[in-house]
Amino acid sequence: MTTSSRDGFSTAFGVLVATLGSAVGLGNIWKFPSLTGANGGAGFLLVYLIATLLVGLPVMIAETMLGRAARANAVSTFERVAPAAQHGWKIIGWMGFLAALLILAFYSEVAGWVYAYIFKAIAGDIATTDPQVAGAIFAGLVADPLASLFWQWLVLGITGSIIMLGVAKGIEAVARRLMPLLFILLLILCARSLSLPGAAAGLAFLFSPDLAKITPAVLLTALGLAFFKLSIGMGCMLTYGSYFRADQNIPLTATRVMLADLSVSLLAGIAIFPAVFAFGFEPAAGPSLVFMTIPAVFTAMPGGTLFMTIFFLLTAIASVGAMLSLLEVPVAILSERYRLGRRRASLYTIVLVAVLGMPAALSSSLTADLRLFGLNPFELFDFLSSNLLLPLGGILICLFVGWVYGLPETARQLGNHGALRNSWLVRAVFFLVRFVAPLSIAAVLLHGLKLF
Ligand code: PFF
């Protein structure tokens, strides 16, 4: 594998939209609202913001930097950037391999529900503002084992075919066309939701914090969301960083992606919570929240069917960019380390995800009683990846950069070998990565898992 023949993003804008395409996804439109709703609203949002700024952004910068320095997949990166005696750090890459498969297993199922809802919206099957009816429609879909598998496999087939096309022709080309559309559509949805009678209660829920609701478990969930949102702690940004252009300003790009991603989450929240309160839905409904409230937002409105269809289409679009980046982690590892060729590596990855995804897809039917720590397979995969593997991977990346890689090399890499004048910024990032981030992740992890 030579550096020069390696695929990569072709323009600075391509880097930005592809990275944003990885960050923006079901995490914004499905996970962020349901977790915010289930964890008490604005207090959760506040903790999530702090976690994003103090931990998420620095880890994102550090991870991307290592990937670009090594120009290799998440595992091989550490064989290139770690001292010869310390190649054990590549465990980070293998943990990422596992985390990517676990996330894809449930993520592809949620994406499948979204695809199904596009067709339901067109057919007028979900036109209701009644929480009972909306709940029954969603429950009917997830309880049907064949439908669940069908939609999941359809999603895997579509994303699998794009990933085979490669980094520039597949990932970048798709993100470039779809990301701008997504922003426009979300703005339309927010305008509609804010004009509902009673919208103010939804905004108050989202923006006036009640600090009493912040428990250790809430802290861990918010931290996990910060990792999940920015696609960090699992080698995804290592992999994408390896496709970055040499002159890309990494801290600036990461900050832009973080801000744009945050805006999408907030817009999704503004589209959903006013409707929750206007129609009497339960904010703590969990994973079904989006699938019940969004139809309600549009049902009573002229052109509602069209807008509902657009919304689910948009969500499907957002899920594609994120899934491509999740797939890229194992695909890059398999193709580069085992010289499999991109097509074969993609095929093996899709098959692995389909197998692992089966118990997740059947979590409301055949595998509903298969419980570990009280969680069904869908919930377990989510918990293990977001709340355990990603934060752990984050700690390891921080320890590696902060204590092994060191400040001089970090400054060279983030300063593009002297081309950027950003040494004060680099020092701040390095301080966060060396001390603040690993300590806070460790504290939240131990506390949230009730280990102390
Ligand atoms: N950031 C994506 C989202 O919020 O939907 C999910 C994700 C993508 C997580 C890539 C992790 C990852 F490596």
Side-chain angles (χ1 to χ4, degrees):
M1 181 189 63
T2 60
T3 305
S4 57
S5 66
R6 211 161 167 265
D7 202 354
F9 300 130
S10 60
T11 62
F13 180 69
V15 173
L16 185 73
V17 283
T19 312
L20 189 59
S22 166
V24 170
L26 297 173
N28 308 67
I29 297 167
W30 164 74
K31 211 174 211 240
F32 172 80
S34 60
L35 289 182
T36 305
N39 290 288
F44 179 82
L45 177 59
L46 185 70
V47 180
Y48 165 67
L49 282 180
I50 296 172
T52 299
L53 286 178
L54 288 188
V55 178
L57 187 59
V59 172
M60 184 176 184
I61 294 172
E63 192 176 329
T64 312
M65 168 191 80
L66 290 180
R68 189 180 63 180
R71 296 254 178 244
N73 61 76
V75 174
S76 309
T77 286
F78 292 95
E79 291 169 346
R80 298 195 177 183
V81 295
Q86 297 200 33
H87 285 178
W89 287 100
K90 67 185 178 204
I91 181 81
I92 297 174
W94 286 117
M95 280 167 57
F97 185 93
L98 178 66
L101 295 181
L102 285 175
I103 293 179
L104 280 162
F106 71 86
Y107 205 91
S108 57
E109 180 54 25
V110 181
W113 299 338
V114 173
Y115 281 47
Y117 263 63
I118 297 176
F119 293 96
K120 285 186 189 296
I122 296 174
D125 291 349
I126 47 174
T128 176
T129 56
D130 182 342
Q132 300 278 318
V133 178
I137 295 170
F138 181 73
L141 171 66
V142 299
D144 180 346
L146 281 182
S148 299
L149 288 178
F150 169 80
W151 291 111
Q152 182 181 43
W153 290 350
L154 181 73
V155 167
L156 289 176
I158 293 175
T159 42
S161 343
I162 301 176
I163 204 80
M164 284 184 192
L165 295 174
V167 179
K169 296 208 180 84
I171 299 175
E172 183 179 340
V174 169
R176 195 185 265 282
R177 291 182 180 85
L178 300 184
M179 288 311 293
L181 185 66
L182 192 142
F183 266 92
I184 298 171
L185 291 179
L186 257 183
L187 285 174
I188 300 177
L189 291 180
C190 287
R192 161 64 187 154
S193 191
L194 286 175
S195 64
L196 288 170
L203 291 184
F205 180 77
L206 195 54
F207 294 115
S208 348
D210 173 359
L211 300 184
K213 293 189 178 145
I214 303 175
T215 63
V218 169
L219 289 180
L220 178 59
T221 308
L223 182 77
L225 179 65
F227 274 88
F228 188 88
K229 276 304 323 118
L230 295 176
S231 313
I232 52 176
M234 50 158 288
C236 184
M237 282 304 117
L238 287 175
T239 313
Y240 268 35
S242 77
Y243 304 133
F244 268 43
R245 289 154 49 95
D247 60 356
Q248 193 88 17
N249 185 335
I250 291 180
L252 184 68
T253 306
T255 307
R256 283 186 175 150
V257 168
M258 183 275 285
L259 289 175
D261 176 66
L262 191 62
S263 323
V264 175
S265 293
L266 291 177
L267 289 176
I270 293 172
I272 287 168
F273 285 106
V276 169
F277 288 88
F279 296 111
F281 283 89
E282 178 51 57
S288 62
L289 183 73
V290 175
F291 296 95
M292 305 200 303
T293 49
I294 287 298
V297 180
F298 299 115
T299 293
M301 164 193 179
T305 304
L306 179 68
F307 280 108
M308 224 184 283
T309 311
I310 292 178
F311 176 85
F312 287 107
L313 211 54
L314 155 109
T315 310
I317 290 169
S319 74
V320 171
M323 285 190 62
L324 291 179
S325 71
L326 282 159
L327 287 168
E328 188 62 25
V329 175
V331 167
I333 292 175
L334 292 178
S335 64
E336 291 179 359
R337 288 185 73 84
Y338 302 100
R339 303 187 177 279
L340 279 182
R342 199 166 169 94
R343 280 175 154 271
R344 275 244 222 119
S346 308
L347 204 64
Y348 289 171
T349 304
I350 293 290
V351 171
L352 277 175
V353 174
V355 171
L356 201 62
M358 240 186 265
L362 303 177
S363 285
S364 297
S365 51
L366 305 181
T367 59
D369 296 327
L370 204 69
R371 283 177 183 268
L372 206 62
F373 312 117
L375 305 172
N376 68 31
F378 181 101
E379 296 159 338
L380 184 71
F381 292 173
D382 187 4
F383 182 84
L384 282 181
S385 51
S386 311
N387 293 5
L388 213 62
L389 282 172
L390 270 49
L392 273 180
I395 293 190
L396 291 177
I397 289 168
C398 288
L399 293 180
F400 179 77
V401 171
W403 299 89
V404 178
Y405 202 63
L407 179 59
E409 193 52 31
T410 299
R412 245 192 310 281
Q413 293 295 339
L414 292 181
N416 291 354
H417 301 275
L420 303 174
R421 301 248 152 270
N422 58 1
S423 63
W424 61 270
L425 182 90
V426 170
R427 276 169 199 282
V429 170
F430 190 77
F431 177 78
L432 290 173
V433 166
R434 187 167 153 108
F435 300 108
V436 179
L439 284 174
S440 15
I441 302 170
V444 170
L445 205 56
L446 294 174
H447 223 71
L449 298 174
K450 303 200 179 61
L451 295 180
F452 71 41

